[in-house]
Amino acid sequence: MPRVSKKQNRMDVDKVTKLLLSHPELEVEAIVQQTGLSNQQVYKILRDLENEGIIFGNTRLLDLSKINRKRFLILAKRSGVIPNPNTVEMALYGKEFMSRLAEEKIDIIPEDDFTCNGEWDMITVIVAENALQANKYVDFLRAVSQDQFSKFSMVEVLFTTKKNTVGTPDIEDFAQYISEVSSYRKKYGLTP
């Protein structure tokens, strides 16, 4: 394979990273087709991006309804108490945290965790069998946070129409739901 100039290499890397920003689900073959690069070039770029910590993870999306699971968002507001370093470690889903969850028989799978700026300071996305398990998790968070959070709220996700830039089969169910809600509101004269 002929050597590629540094400038050309940067352009190739830029092509791949821009593509991954909008389509992180793409497999190597699709990246090759869309960028015109060779398999070897794409594998090398991906390996280099992983080694540099620019990309990480390999996501596969599951239809949660088919495995009897639901997605929940847990929102938390900080209280202003300076965090204990041990509590911060607990919040990072370390071994101790997961062990305590198992001991409490709280059956959740942490999916995403975000520190935020705005009305809520933390948003955690979990997958659980039902709202009872999700509520147990919120109670667990309250207990381990040692008063560092003043307020929690939980939201159940009804439909995921797009996840990691991938459209999901829920889009059809979502459209049906919106249509039914609109009809109901119109029938009873409720504002949209």
Side-chain angles (χ1 to χ4, degrees):
M1 183 163 78
R3 290 194 68 97
V4 177
S5 73
K6 286 182 181 183
K7 182 180 178 184
Q8 182 62 50
N9 187 52
R10 277 193 304 274
M11 289 170 47
D12 293 345
V13 169
D14 193 45
K15 239 190 255 188
V16 171
T17 54
K18 283 181 179 174
L19 185 60
L20 289 175
L21 278 170
S22 58
H23 300 288
E25 78 284 0
L26 291 179
E27 299 287 341
V28 171
E29 295 77 24
I31 296 170
V32 166
Q33 288 178 343
Q34 293 192 34
T35 61
L37 301 172
S38 71
N39 279 357
Q40 288 175 324
Q41 287 172 299
V42 170
Y43 275 115
K44 181 185 179 325
I45 290 169
L46 292 176
R47 186 181 62 244
D48 291 346
L49 291 172
E50 278 184 11
N51 290 339
E52 293 172 36
I54 295 170
I55 62 172
F56 56 91
N58 186 10
T59 304
R60 293 285 179 252
L61 304 180
L62 285 84
D63 184 342
L64 296 178
S65 67
K66 292 189 171 134
I67 58 171
N68 197 28
R69 300 281 174 174
K70 297 177 180 189
R71 184 171 284 116
F72 297 88
L73 307 178
I74 313 296
L75 303 113
K77 182 73 180 160
R78 265 185 285 187
S79 65
V81 172
I82 296 172
N84 173 332
N86 295 333
T87 305
V88 172
E89 177 60 31
M90 282 290 293
L92 298 176
Y93 298 108
K95 286 182 183 178
E96 183 184 346
F97 184 89
M98 297 309 286
S99 241
R100 286 188 57 194
L101 274 179
E103 286 170 18
E104 298 289 328
K105 296 187 178 9
I106 299 173
D107 183 20
I108 63 102
I109 300 163
E111 192 175 64
D112 289 307
D113 202 43
F114 306 98
T115 300
C116 306
N117 183 17
E119 184 176 348
W120 298 99
D121 297 309
M122 182 186 84
I123 300 173
T124 298
V125 183
I126 64 166
V127 173
E129 188 174 332
N130 52 44
L132 176 62
Q133 286 297 316
N135 274 311
K136 282 179 159 181
Y137 180 66
V138 171
D139 291 341
F140 177 80
L141 284 177
R142 264 191 199 99
V144 301
S145 68
Q146 301 174 353
D147 299 326
Q148 290 177 28
F149 292 98
S150 60
K151 183 173 155 185
F152 285 92
S153 187
M154 183 181 78
V155 178
E156 179 180 342
V157 175
L158 296 179
F159 301 100
T160 302
T161 53
K162 196 169 190 173
K163 177 93 168 111
N164 295 345
T165 75
V166 178
T168 71
D170 282 356
I171 191 78
E172 293 168 13
D173 294 335
F174 173 70
Q176 179 66 31
Y177 172 79
I178 293 299
S179 174
E180 289 172 10
V181 167
S182 296
S183 296
Y184 172 83
R185 289 183 165 282
K186 186 176 180 181
K187 179 178 177 179
Y188 293 101
L190 302 171
T191 57

